[in-house]
């Protein structure tokens, strides 16, 4: 009797398969957040403004991929406040401008390990919920500011992440914009960071609005833009390490060796040694991922800063600079 029941079940299963009947859960396609397949995301844990970091803070730069079966995959780079990351030299240089080597945060250079998480997601109205296979959960709010691009903003997590934003589209993630084709304008945005205050010898945290202004950048070569910008605002905290009477100016590099990854580096020119045009000190190192909309237009960056060659020192933070 048991054998006949088993054979009957197999026959029924085969018939259902042939006529295309599947279980209700498999038949229901998931709704992608904002209707977009992939998102460029920066996410992290930053101590509340004005409070010292605890040592648990981190920053993560990622691409999120949402499939219609309700699964999500994250490819990411990770930096922890409690670990030091020596700077890495990248292949592109600023040849054609000051002919210097360009650097990025250790762990983001070409060939560095890309970590991965997999999980499942659900969308309910403008709310996105993700549960990763390691048990981590994230909650996001989804907005559609304009046709061709959507935005997710982190509202909660169960593992310490308290800041995060991502920009999504349906363009293939292999699509990118060469640095020389990026519109030379200002991309406004905001940042959150943990830092070591060397002047007062204490750890702190802060947030604010800022931007990346390419209007004063020039082409060095096919893989690099650069600009030297004088600080004219007397109230600006930038280049506070310059001595009285020294010109306060910042040298910027924006470089790429292909793909969505961009390398953003800057330092105060008053810190250069002697006649050397190339800085070898603790420059600001900002790995970034390009934001591209459905029309394959460049819209800005999501990024992190990991200027921490020594654990719990330097700066570790997240930022978003776009025209969305």
């Amino acid at each position: 009797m048991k054998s006949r029941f088993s054979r009957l079940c197999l026959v029924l299963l085969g018939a259902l398969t042939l006529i295309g009947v599947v279980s209700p859960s498999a038949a229901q396609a998931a709704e992608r957040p904002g209707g977009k397949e992939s998102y460029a995301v920066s996410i992290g844990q930053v101590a509340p403004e004005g409070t010292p970091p605890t040592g648990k803070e981190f920053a993560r730069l990622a691409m999120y991929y949402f499939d219609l079966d309700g699964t999500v995959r994250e490819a990411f780079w990770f930096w922890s406040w409690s670990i030091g990351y020596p700077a890495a030299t990248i292949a592109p240089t600023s040849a054609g401008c000051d002919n210097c080597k360009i650097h990025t945060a250790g762990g983001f250079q070409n060939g560095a390990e890309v970590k991965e998480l997999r999980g499942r997601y659900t969308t309910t109205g403008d709310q996105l919920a993700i549960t990763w296979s390691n048990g981590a959960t994230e909650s996001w709010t989804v907005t559609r500011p304009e046709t061709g691009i959507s935005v997710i903003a982190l509202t909660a997590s169960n593992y310490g992440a308290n800041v995060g934003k991502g920009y999504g589209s349906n363009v293939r993630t292999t699509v990118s914009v060469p640095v020389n084709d990026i519109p030379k304008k200002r991309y406004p945005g905001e940042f959150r960071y943990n830092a070591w205050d060397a002047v007062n010898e204490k750890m702190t945290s802060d947030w604010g609005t800022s931007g990346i202004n390419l209007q004063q950048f020039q082409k060095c070569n096919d893989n690099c833009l650069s600009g030297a910008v004088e600080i004219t605002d007397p109230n600006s905290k930038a280049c506070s390490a310059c001595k009285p009477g020294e010109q306060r100016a910042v040298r910027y590099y924006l470089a790429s060796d292909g793909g969505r990854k961009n390398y953003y580096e800057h330092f105060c020119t008053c810190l250069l040694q002697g006649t050397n045009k190339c800085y070898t000190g603790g420059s600001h190192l900002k790995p970034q991922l390009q934001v591209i909309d459905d029309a394959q237009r460049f819209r800005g960056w999501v990024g992190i800063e990991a200027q921490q060659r020594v654990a719990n020192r330097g700066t570790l933070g997240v930022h978003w600079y776009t025209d969305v």
Side-chain angles (χ1 to χ4, degrees):
M1 185 67 180
K2 182 177 181 182
S3 177
R4 288 179 59 192
F5 178 77
S6 299
R7 287 197 299 270
L8 179 59
C9 288
L10 289 172
V11 171
L12 288 173
L13 179 59
L16 291 172
T17 302
L18 287 172
I19 64 176
V21 177
V22 294
S23 64
S25 60
Q28 296 171 355
E31 180 183 351
R32 287 173 169 144
K36 304 306 179 186
E37 181 178 1
S38 63
Y39 282 75
V41 176
S42 57
I43 180 174
Q45 179 176 348
V46 177
E49 180 185 1
T51 64
T54 64
K56 297 180 180 180
E57 289 74 16
F58 65 87
R60 202 164 79 225
L61 188 57
M63 290 296 301
Y64 282 31
Y65 303 92
F66 296 92
D67 289 328
L68 288 174
D69 63 358
T71 61
V72 57
R73 179 173 65 91
E74 176 186 3
F76 67 97
W77 298 265
F78 177 87
W79 294 267
S80 170
W81 180 243
S82 61
I83 299 174
Y85 299 90
T89 302
I90 62 173
T93 70
S94 63
C97 289
D98 52 2
N99 197 30
C100 293
K101 294 179 180 179
I102 301 174
H103 309 89
T104 191
F108 194 65
Q109 68 272 23
N110 206 13
E113 178 189 7
V114 182
K115 302 179 185 296
E116 184 178 87
L117 279 175
R118 292 181 181 270
R120 299 197 64 83
Y121 75 94
T122 58
T123 53
T124 306
D126 63 353
Q127 300 300 305
L128 165 66
I130 298 175
T131 300
W132 300 107
S133 58
N134 63 2
T137 63
E138 297 167 1
S139 299
W140 304 77
T141 296
V142 185
T143 57
R144 304 186 189 193
E146 60 183 74
T147 301
I149 198 163
S150 294
V151 182
I152 56 174
L154 186 73
T155 57
S157 79
N158 70 348
Y159 63 95
N162 58 3
V163 290
K165 188 181 291 185
Y167 296 82
S169 71
N170 289 320
V171 71
R172 294 178 65 86
T173 54
T174 54
V175 172
S176 62
V177 177
V179 291
N180 287 311
D181 292 335
I182 293 175
K184 307 301 187 293
K185 63 180 185 178
R186 185 177 187 274
Y187 296 87
E190 59 182 321
F191 61 85
R192 305 280 192 275
Y193 68 81
N194 308 294
W196 166 252
D197 183 347
V199 175
N200 297 305
E201 295 189 343
K202 66 177 184 179
M203 291 189 289
T204 186
S205 58
D206 201 0
W207 70 276
T209 57
S210 183
I212 295 178
N213 191 349
L214 299 184
Q215 293 175 320
Q216 298 185 55
F217 281 44
Q218 68 182 69
K219 175 182 177 179
C220 300
N221 52 67
D222 288 342
N223 299 310
C224 176
L225 302 175
S226 183
V229 181
E230 184 178 0
I231 300 170
T232 57
D233 181 0
N235 297 317
S236 173
K237 297 179 181 179
C239 296
S240 57
C242 294
K243 298 176 182 178
E246 291 182 325
Q247 182 188 38
R248 292 198 301 160
V250 181
R251 166 63 71 177
Y252 296 93
Y253 301 117
L254 178 66
S256 172
D257 51 15
R260 292 266 186 113
K261 294 172 62 176
N262 281 175
Y263 309 106
Y264 187 48
E265 178 183 13
H266 58 87
F267 59 86
C268 297
T269 57
C270 68
L271 301 178
L272 292 169
Q273 299 296 316
T275 59
N276 188 2
K277 295 182 179 180
C278 301
Y279 185 55
T280 58
S283 57
H284 292 269
L285 306 172
K286 298 180 177 180
Q288 303 195 135
L289 292 175
Q290 293 183 353
V291 173
I292 310 290
D293 68 14
D294 283 350
Q296 301 188 14
R297 296 180 302 170
F298 178 86
R299 306 306 302 270
W301 302 269
V302 299
I304 69 99
E305 177 173 0
Q307 185 240 346
Q308 50 171 142
R309 291 163 173 78
V310 178
N312 304 318
R313 294 292 185 269
T315 301
L316 179 67
V318 293
H319 60 259
W320 312 273
Y321 298 125
T322 76
D323 61 6
V324 178

